[in-house]
Amino acid sequence: MLWSTIILLAAAQSCAASVLSRRWDDLLEKHSWTDIPRGWQLKGPAPADHMFDLRIGLKPDGMEKLIENLMEISDPDHARYRQHLNKEQVDALLAPHVDSTAAVEDWLNFHGVDASSARRTDAGDWITLRVSVEQAERMLGTKYTIYQHGPSAEQVVRTLSYSLPKALFSHVDVVSPTTYFGTIRSMKKTNFLQPDKSPVSVGDEALIVPAANAAVPSSCATTITPTCLRDLYNTSTYVPVRTNVNSLGVAGYLSEFAITSDLQTFLQKFRPDAANSSFSIVQINGGGNNQNDPGVEANLDIQYTTGISFPTPNIYYSTGGSPPFTPDSNMPTDTNEPYLDFLNFLLNQTSIPQTISTSYGDDEQTVPLDYATSVCNLFAVLGSRGTTVFFASGDGGVGGGSCQSNNGTNAVVFQPIFPASCPFVTAVGATTGINPEVAASFSGGGFSRYFAQPTYQSSAVNTFLNGLGSQFNGLFNKTGRAYPDLSAQGEGFQVVVGGRTVSVAGTSASTPTVAAVFSLVVDWCLSVGNPALGFINPAIYAKASSAFTDIASGSNPGCNTAGFTAGKGWDPVTGLGTPIFPKLKSIL
């Protein structure tokens, strides 16, 4: 009897193992590239024992409900307008279904991976595991290889395709690092130096002290200081009062360090009443704080957010990540996923800034759709928490470089920028000049090929498309999310770097400017007992178009075309226009 029981039990175990084997060996491709992404070169196979962090993004059980809720609380005509969610409510919506968690853990156990040692977000929607290349290749039905980024010489371990068991497709959104080649060092910065522009002259009071009559100094046509921006956008007389509650965050990557001594020099020179103020630094995933290595981008961001929003507390988030491959396979390394590192950290905090500015991006086509969708959804989560997220629209007009598609056809098409193309962020383009402001020629703008056009902007965008007619047919996706949403000055910014004043341009100058102006709007809302703004796009398209100065001239050439042209109403060069602070206060 005992012997027959053992035989039956062994048979059952063998049958179960066979079922599990068939279940986890039934692989379907999740994402693949036809060619090695441009800018990267194959170096050789990754060592089988190389260890790295593998992130698994489980499908949140309540993401659709969260986005539905976001659109309600962002609609100025809805009864629940600006009734933001707290961390616990968001975590409950982001939590994966118990079946998803169980399926992933069964899959990991099948491959001999100890799930108990994994790091998990509070919501449980992201699992981070330490695995070897050999383990990851078995799990994902792929082959990892070492690739080198030409401009930066950074080496990464990536793959051109990966697969998941068919049974996991309804449970897992994305696995990383796999086919996303973007890294901290290869991301696009959206600024550039202007050595031909002479720094502001010492003693030019018009560029330092706001005019009593709010007139914009004529010198602001070529040289921008905080005073120019405060005069242009009518914030010079507003003094923040809810500084104990309100804060403004700046996302930093690329080992770009914001220097406190440079800020002091900047403030003493251009905003004397703010002298001796500072900012706090939060270091994420090994992000540095080398005060002897000033970054143009970091200093530009923090000097202008502080210069406009003072005395609102500013926080610089230094997100790290060393090159993920080292010859020593036992050396702990980072996966170097900047957006995920930053967002997962931020959303695990009980309190986060009401406004965040980010001046980085990638060509949308270089970001795998599964990865882009997961990251974009996390920006929706930030909006649900009451945070307004601004991204630079890029400095390549309708597209930089050859503009060739990477789907194997090499067709020339306009190149949208991600995350600016995400419908849950507010994308910022650039202007230049005064009386009137005109579109900066580099201002990034266009239409996403990944994300559908949201209803909040359809009326404004259709008006533009109707005027455009058949021009550029086939070069862009007329039904895609359109950007930028708004704009601000983007040339001739005076920035102190290593004690010297230099001129900087780019949408990464426009973005902290707009973020600082809206941070003041948030302060006003809080001061009169209203909630923070959160996701602003539905409101600014529906109610606040009159709170922007429409930019009616200029264009954003690229891809060997003249690009789009700015005109009356929304356009994919400057969006709705530049902010008018007093009107934003009254409307929002």
Side-chain angles (χ1 to χ4, degrees):
M1 183 68 177
L2 178 61
W3 179 249
S4 61
T5 300
I6 293 174
I7 292 175
L8 288 172
L9 180 60
Q13 289 174 334
S14 174
C15 180
S18 175
V19 170
L20 282 175
S21 176
R22 288 197 298 272
R23 177 185 177 189
W24 302 129
D25 289 345
D26 184 14
L27 298 178
L28 291 178
E29 186 176 273
K30 184 71 170 170
H31 181 260
S32 67
W33 296 120
T34 56
D35 297 301
I36 298 173
R38 290 188 185 91
W40 294 89
Q41 296 88 38
L42 175 67
K43 297 298 291 183
D49 60 351
H50 172 69
M51 303 296 292
F52 66 102
D53 284 345
L54 189 72
R55 281 190 175 94
I56 302 170
L58 280 68
K59 189 178 296 295
D61 195 34
M63 180 56 74
E64 290 184 6
K65 186 175 180 181
L66 184 145
I67 292 175
E68 179 183 343
N69 173 81
L70 174 65
M71 302 317 293
E72 290 180 355
I73 65 175
S74 304
D75 180 354
D77 293 325
H78 198 280
R80 297 182 56 242
Y81 181 46
R82 293 203 312 220
Q83 293 182 19
H84 308 305
L85 304 181
N86 59 33
K87 181 180 183 300
E88 290 71 25
Q89 291 170 318
V90 164
D91 283 350
L93 291 169
L94 292 181
H97 193 278
V98 291
D99 291 348
S100 297
T101 302
V104 169
E105 291 190 352
D106 285 348
W107 173 57
L108 296 176
N109 288 334
F110 174 78
H111 285 286
V113 178
D114 182 11
S116 65
S117 64
R119 304 193 305 274
R120 303 169 190 261
T121 55
D122 290 350
D125 55 329
W126 286 92
I127 298 176
T128 303
L129 302 153
R130 197 76 179 160
V131 298
S132 68
V133 163
E134 183 181 25
Q135 286 176 305
E137 289 177 342
R138 285 202 315 271
M139 294 165 64
L140 303 175
T142 190
K143 191 71 178 174
Y144 276 91
T145 311
I146 303 168
Y147 297 90
Q148 182 166 308
H149 184 241
S152 68
E154 179 179 23
Q155 291 188 0
V156 300
V157 172
R158 295 292 190 271
T159 178
L160 292 182
S161 68
Y162 78 102
S163 300
L164 286 174
K166 183 178 179 180
L168 285 186
F169 263 63
S170 61
H171 301 295
V172 174
D173 281 336
V174 66
V175 179
S176 180
T178 50
T179 55
Y180 175 41
F181 277 65
T183 70
I184 286 177
R185 295 183 187 276
S186 66
M187 281 195 307
K188 288 185 176 180
K189 289 188 290 186
T190 53
N191 75 65
F192 52 95
L193 293 172
Q194 294 182 298
D196 56 317
K197 285 185 179 286
S198 299
V200 62
S201 300
V202 176
D204 188 346
E205 291 297 317
L207 292 174
I208 299 172
V209 181
N213 61 359
V216 181
S218 60
S219 51
C220 295
T222 56
T223 305
I224 294 294
T225 67
T227 296
C228 293
L229 300 172
R230 295 171 71 207
D231 285 343
L232 269 168
Y233 305 134
N234 295 288
T235 70
S236 59
T237 61
Y238 184 77
V239 179
V241 295
R242 292 310 307 272
T243 56
N244 62 323
V245 179
N246 190 29
S247 63
L248 197 169
V250 173
Y253 302 112
L254 292 167
S255 297
E256 283 267 349
F257 307 121
I259 308 302
T260 55
S261 60
D262 280 344
L263 176 63
Q264 288 307 311
T265 302
F266 177 84
L267 294 175
Q268 289 165 8
K269 190 171 185 178
F270 299 120
R271 183 85 197 261
D273 62 315
N276 299 320
S277 66
S278 190
F279 59 96
S280 56
I281 299 173
V282 175
Q283 296 167 256
I284 302 171
N285 189 34
N289 180 25
N290 185 347
Q291 290 294 301
N292 296 313
D293 185 14
V296 174
E297 180 65 60
N299 275 0
L300 164 65
D301 289 340
I302 208 69
Q303 287 172 17
Y304 278 86
T305 54
T306 303
I308 297 171
S309 70
F310 171 80
T312 303
N314 278 229
I315 306 168
Y316 185 79
Y317 292 93
S318 177
T319 301
S322 59
F325 173 73
T326 59
D328 181 359
S329 61
N330 295 315
M331 182 74 174
T333 57
D334 297 312
T335 32
N336 217 348
E337 300 284 17
Y339 300 129
L340 292 181
D341 287 334
F342 176 59
L343 290 169
N344 283 336
F345 171 85
L346 210 59
L347 291 171
N348 262 359
Q349 310 305 305
T350 302
S351 177
I352 54 182
Q354 291 86 348
T355 311
I356 291 177
S357 174
T358 309
S359 296
Y360 298 88
D362 297 284
D363 285 345
E364 186 184 70
Q365 69 171 2
T366 68
V367 185
L369 178 59
D370 56 354
Y371 184 93
T373 301
S374 294
V375 169
C376 186
N377 285 343
L378 290 178
F379 292 125
V381 178
L382 276 177
S384 298
R385 293 275 301 268
T387 295
T388 309
V389 182
F390 294 97
F391 266 90
S393 69
D395 292 348
V398 293
S402 68
C403 294
Q404 289 183 334
S405 62
N406 63 353
N407 59 5
T409 66
N410 290 329
V412 173
V413 292
F414 291 171
Q415 294 294 330
I417 297 293
F418 178 82
S421 64
C422 168
F424 303 124
V425 307
T426 303
V428 183
T431 62
T432 187
I434 59 173
N435 300 321
E437 290 183 82
V438 300
S441 61
F442 56 79
S443 183
F447 297 76
S448 173
R449 295 183 182 276
Y450 282 180
F451 303 104
Q453 189 178 116
T455 56
Y456 64 70
Q457 64 171 184
S458 58
S459 176
V461 174
N462 285 336
T463 299
F464 171 82
L465 290 174
N466 289 336
L468 185 68
S470 61
Q471 188 178 15
F472 304 133
N473 272 0
L475 292 179
F476 70 98
N477 175 24
K478 293 185 177 182
T479 62
R481 143 65 166 162
Y483 73 96
D485 302 297
L486 40 79
S487 53
Q489 287 283 316
E491 289 198 42
F493 276 57
Q494 302 302 287
V495 181
V496 176
V497 182
R500 293 179 53 251
T501 302
V502 297
S503 291
V504 183
T507 52
S508 56
S510 315
T511 306
T513 297
V514 168
V517 171
F518 273 86
S519 182
L520 296 179
V521 179
V522 171
D523 182 273
W524 165 256
C525 291
L526 297 174
S527 72
V528 296
N530 288 329
L533 296 174
F535 179 47
I536 62 171
N537 289 13
I540 63 175
Y541 280 93
K543 297 287 187 181
S545 59
S546 62
F548 297 93
T549 299
D550 194 13
I551 308 302
S553 63
S555 62
N556 60 350
C559 303
N560 293 316
T561 74
F564 296 114
T565 300
K568 185 177 179 180
W570 180 89
D571 57 71
V573 188
T574 60
L576 296 169
T578 58
I580 307 171
F581 175 67
K583 291 186 178 180
L584 286 169
K585 273 195 337 181
S586 63
I587 291 174
L588 294 177

